[in-house]
Amino acid sequence: MKKIFSILFFLLLSNLIKAQIGDSLISKNNFYGDFGDSLALNDSIAQAHYAVVDAYVLHLKKRYRNIPSLAKDLTATFTSPEDKVRAIFRWMTNNISYDCADYHNKNKTLGGGVSYSSTTSKSQITAQWANMYYRYANRVLRKRKGICEGYAILFYELCNQSGINCEIIHGFADQNSKRIGKYKTFHRKFTNHAWDSVELNGNWYDLDATWASGSCDEEVRHFYKGFNAAYYLTSAKKSFADHIQSIKETEKLNRDIGN
């Protein structure tokens, strides 16, 4: 069976890591609840089908060191985009843990940087951004740890390797519904969370591998692994009740990496 980006561009880099600085977490004390209209929860047929994909993915025990190898092993067995997305999502939620130490690291960056001059073309800059993201995602894979943007970027890169249309979403996430309501009235550049959206059968669905993989204690010192299916495949038109996208920051991020 087959197995599977001179001068640092500080201002742009700063914007890109804002989601890391204000990383939003799901609290261990509020792990369960009404998190939105999740297709995975409401469709019993899909649940049964997912069980087959999950069983294959959870059986993979190899210690992967690069994204292409992992993407191949995760998706080569499956033909439908839906199954490939599920395989990537389930592997990540089972194998990537939240990096509590990095959450408290005030000097964290995506790694590397973008250098340019007056002769650097837009396509060259975009390629550098894409390369930086790729290196960062590979680092998360090797450590098997990441904060929210690490999860989102690794998921994006695995989808990219597997022919799945995917976007990284920047926005706000908060389990307090009153604060989420207030976020909708503000237009700030600061974001506190990152997740992903995938295109399946012409429709876009949001998923959050960070919040689906487990929870942290209140001090964010300990991570508790535990799969939460509520953060898988919810219509992007509605998204999750505790998430709200920053359209401006999302478009900017995906434009920078040529997505």
Side-chain angles (χ1 to χ4, degrees):
M1 180 179 290
K2 293 183 179 178
K3 289 188 181 232
I4 317 201
F5 197 165
S6 164
I7 304 171
L8 287 177
F9 207 174
F10 285 117
L11 292 177
L12 288 175
L13 184 58
S14 175
N15 282 336
L16 281 174
I17 65 174
K18 284 176 181 176
Q20 294 180 300
I21 296 173
D23 213 358
S24 179
L25 302 172
I26 183 170
S27 166
K28 183 176 184 293
N29 296 327
N30 295 293
F31 187 50
Y32 300 101
D34 181 10
F35 297 120
D37 183 19
S38 173
L39 300 181
L41 287 183
N42 297 334
D43 189 338
S44 58
I45 297 178
Q47 284 286 65
H49 183 74
Y50 290 156
V52 177
V53 180
D54 293 357
Y56 168 77
V57 171
L58 298 180
H59 182 71
L60 297 176
K61 302 300 181 181
K62 180 179 176 180
R63 188 79 179 188
Y64 293 91
R65 304 291 295 174
N66 64 81
I67 292 170
S69 177
L70 173 57
K72 179 182 178 180
D73 279 8
L74 285 177
T75 64
T77 300
F78 306 111
T79 57
S80 74
E82 295 92 333
D83 287 352
K84 293 181 180 182
V85 168
R86 178 68 180 193
I88 294 169
F89 187 82
R90 197 63 187 92
W91 187 93
M92 283 194 56
T93 55
N94 187 63
N95 291 279
I96 306 299
S97 296
Y98 192 83
D99 195 335
C100 297
D102 203 26
Y103 171 84
H104 292 283
N105 178 11
K106 297 182 179 180
N107 297 315
K108 55 179 169 283
T109 67
L110 294 180
V114 176
S115 60
Y116 71 102
S117 69
S118 59
T119 61
T120 306
S121 68
K122 182 178 180 179
S123 61
Q124 289 175 319
I125 295 176
T126 298
Q128 289 185 63
W129 278 114
N131 184 47
M132 183 185 71
Y133 267 91
Y134 183 86
R135 293 199 311 268
Y136 178 70
N138 216 50
R139 190 171 75 214
V140 172
L141 172 60
R142 293 184 178 186
K143 290 177 60 179
R144 291 210 175 192
K145 286 185 177 183
I147 55 176
C148 71
E149 198 150 37
Y151 276 90
I153 294 172
L154 178 55
F155 184 87
Y156 165 84
E157 294 293 354
L158 287 167
C159 283
N160 191 41
Q161 286 284 330
S162 306
I164 305 296
N165 286 335
C166 179
E167 288 188 349
I168 303 169
I169 309 298
H170 269 191
F172 307 92
D174 199 314
Q175 291 176 285
N176 186 311
S177 60
K178 293 183 178 180
R179 286 198 292 261
I180 280 291
K182 290 181 179 179
Y183 288 148
K184 296 180 180 180
T185 66
F186 293 118
H187 300 282
R188 301 179 298 174
K189 287 187 176 181
F190 175 79
T191 59
N192 75 347
H193 198 46
W195 60 99
D196 296 279
S197 189
V198 293
E199 184 181 20
L200 295 173
N201 299 319
N203 298 307
W204 285 87
Y205 298 93
D206 287 359
L207 39 77
D208 186 342
T210 308
W211 282 25
S213 67
S215 58
C216 292
D217 59 1
E218 190 173 348
E219 294 77 22
V220 195
R221 297 295 178 185
H222 300 284
F223 175 71
Y224 304 90
K225 177 67 71 176
F227 182 59
N228 190 336
Y231 291 101
Y232 182 67
L233 292 190
T234 287
S235 174
K237 295 179 180 179
K238 183 176 182 180
S239 195
F240 307 108
D242 44 16
H243 289 50
I244 180 170
Q245 178 184 169
S246 170
I247 297 177
K248 182 178 180 180
E249 290 302 300
T250 296
E251 290 179 345
K252 178 182 180 302
L253 185 155
N254 287 280
R255 182 173 62 248
D256 284 341
I257 61 175
N259 194 13

